[in-house]
Amino acid sequence: MAYARHMPRTAAVSPERHVKVFKNGRNQAVRIPREFAFPSEDAIMRKEGNRLIIEPAPPKSLLAVLATLTPLEEDFPSISDLPLDPVNL
């Protein structure tokens, strides 16, 4: 039996749903119902005892990670500009 979990561990678990396991070539496969769909096309799968856990993969790019961060609510001191060094051309 396969279990698909797309919500973070702290979120409420969605109701379970019975799904069929079928063959796709030499692999076993399961269709993920729409209400359990992942936000992306990449996922991580692991076994815990008899359970098969499928989770969305973390973002791969630094920009995607930075987009998930919330702004800091902290005032930073202003920094005065340093004088430029003279340049001989």
Side-chain angles (χ1 to χ4, degrees):
M1 188 176 292
Y3 295 90
R5 198 167 70 192
H6 72 287
M7 301 297 289
R9 294 180 197 272
T10 58
V13 176
S14 299
E16 63 184 38
R17 181 151 171 206
H18 185 86
V19 295
K20 291 279 187 181
V21 178
F22 60 95
K23 288 292 238 179
N24 183 9
R26 293 175 55 186
N27 297 314
Q28 270 192 324
V30 62
R31 282 192 174 79
I32 298 174
R34 185 174 291 166
E35 63 265 22
F36 295 110
F38 291 120
S40 68
E41 293 185 7
D42 293 326
I44 295 173
M45 183 183 297
R46 70 176 183 281
K47 275 189 97 167
E48 290 181 2
N50 289 333
R51 292 180 179 227
L52 181 61
I53 310 294
I54 305 170
E55 298 177 308
K60 292 183 180 177
S61 74
L62 179 57
L63 290 176
V65 172
L66 292 176
T68 65
L69 299 177
T70 57
L72 294 174
E73 300 293 331
E74 187 172 328
D75 292 329
F76 291 97
S78 60
I79 300 172
S80 58
D81 289 334
L82 297 174
L84 298 176
D85 292 332
V87 177
N88 291 330
L89 296 176

